[in-house]
Each structure stands twice: as structure tokens, then as C-alpha cells.
Amino acid sequence: MSTTPAQTGHAPQPAPTELGPAEIGVGMRLSVHPHTDRFVEVILGALDDVDAAGLTEGLTIETDDVSTYVGATVAPGEQRLASYLAALVTAASRRSAGGHVVAHVLLSRGCPGEASCDLTTTRLPGAAPVVLVPGELPAVAQWSLYPLLDGDGGAGAHMSHIEEAIATARRDGVAVAPRHYATRLAGDLSQVVATAVDAWARVGATVPHVVTHLTLSVGSPTPVQEER
């Protein structure tokens, strides 16, 4: 008796397609806090500046009473997010005459929104390194990286991703120092943002869900101290 592929259950399966930023869930939540009585004017003006520069293309932006959601809809999602973030902080600094500006950022790659997480590591695309033009704006940051799944299944494997990210930051010339629950980064704003975004994206190429927290500070009354 002959059998057909349908009878044996071995019918050819279509090859998985590469997921884009919208399917993966590449985005961030951020809030910007200029330390000035003119904070409303500074924030709204900075948002207008970023929009006028064309840096909102390929992004979905939704602002509520706590923070702003910025989701990438087309590739390169990580580059679009990094460019938007660096430009917004730079514009806020400029509009506050170089005063103290703080930005709280949560970057997430994987498990978009309320959707259940069913991504597999074999379908996750990588991302090209972020390219940002140096703006000569010194910045410091406290940075935490959270791979939310051990890609190789080993106990504690997430730490290898974190340690490699910190080592890469040092190799890239960003000042790095340990802090409680975070790593301190210092350098040009473009360097600091690119370092955090690149590390997050690299881990996201093998781990289905990875999150980074980044608190950025520019124009602080506390002097920037280079630490390595």
C-alpha cells in the first residue's frame, strides 16, 4: 500500500519568515524631566524639534499622563529608537539652556504589548550597530539589562549576556562602573545611548524577550567623573 505525504504527516512546511520590529515588539517607554519651571515649554518644544527633524518616521508615538510610548513599526527599529531618544534629550537640554535634564527609559524587545510570548530564538533577527553623530553633550547613565529568558537553558545563563554587554561597553570606550542594581555609564550622550541600545539588541537576537532600564542625566550640578 502506498502512502501520501498527507497520510504520513510529513507535508512540507513553509520556512519561517523573518520578524519585523512590529511583530517582535521593539519599543520603549520614556519620560523626560527638565529641572526648570519652564518644563512644559521645554518638553513640548523638544518633541516638536524631533518631529521637525523627521525622526518620528517609522515610529508609533503615544503619550499619556505618565510617559510616552515609542514603538518601531519598520526596520531598523533599534536605530530609529536610539535616534529619537538622543535627539529628544539633546533638544530638551538645548531648550533648557544646558540645565539639568533627566530621562527615564525602558526599552523592550519581544512579547509585544499584551500579546502572549511565543517567539522562538530561531526566528529572531539581529540588528546593525546604532550610528549616532556625537553631539558633545556629556551624559551619565545608570543602566540595567534584563534578559528574560536563558536562551541556552542553562542555570544563570542570563549573567553571561550581562557580563558581555558590560565588557563591550568598556571596549567601546564608555566609562563603566558598578552601582547597586545598575551599571554606571559616562561619555557623550550619543555614546551612552548607542552602548545601551546595542547591548539590548545583541541580546535580543538570541533571547526572545529582553528589557533595558536606562536613566540618563545631562547638565547635572554634580560633575561628571570618568570611572573605568
Side-chain angles (χ1 to χ4, degrees), residues 80-174:
R80 294 178 189 277
L81 294 176
S83 297
Y84 183 94
L85 172 59
L88 184 63
V89 174
T90 299
S93 174
R94 182 176 62 250
R95 284 182 170 270
S96 61
H100 191 194
V101 176
V102 172
H104 298 289
V105 187
L106 183 151
L107 288 152
S108 181
R109 193 179 198 267
C111 299
E114 290 78 24
S116 61
C117 184
D118 59 358
L119 302 177
T120 60
T121 56
T122 57
R123 298 178 61 203
L124 295 173
V130 165
V131 177
L132 297 175
V133 176
E136 298 183 356
L137 180 59
V140 293
Q142 290 180 348
W143 168 50
S144 300
L145 178 65
Y146 303 103
L148 299 180
L149 176 69
D150 287 334
D152 57 10
H158 65 282
M159 283 306 301
S160 64
H161 297 295
I162 296 170
E163 289 162 358
E164 174 58 25
I166 293 170
T168 300
R170 285 197 174 98
R171 289 195 297 269
D172 289 345
V174 177

Side-chain angles (χ1 to χ4, degrees), residues 16-68:
T17 57
E18 186 173 275
L19 299 174
E23 290 77 26
I24 299 170
V26 175
M28 64 182 172
R29 279 204 166 273
L30 70 102
S31 55
V32 177
H33 304 281
H35 291 209
T36 171
D37 291 341
R38 298 171 40 249
F39 65 92
V40 174
E41 174 190 338
V42 169
I43 293 171
L44 295 180
L47 290 169
D48 288 342
D49 291 345
V50 176
D51 190 20
L55 295 175
T56 59
E57 184 178 351
L59 299 174
T60 296
I61 300 171
E62 300 171 0
T63 298
D64 59 28
D65 53 352
V66 177
S67 62
T68 294

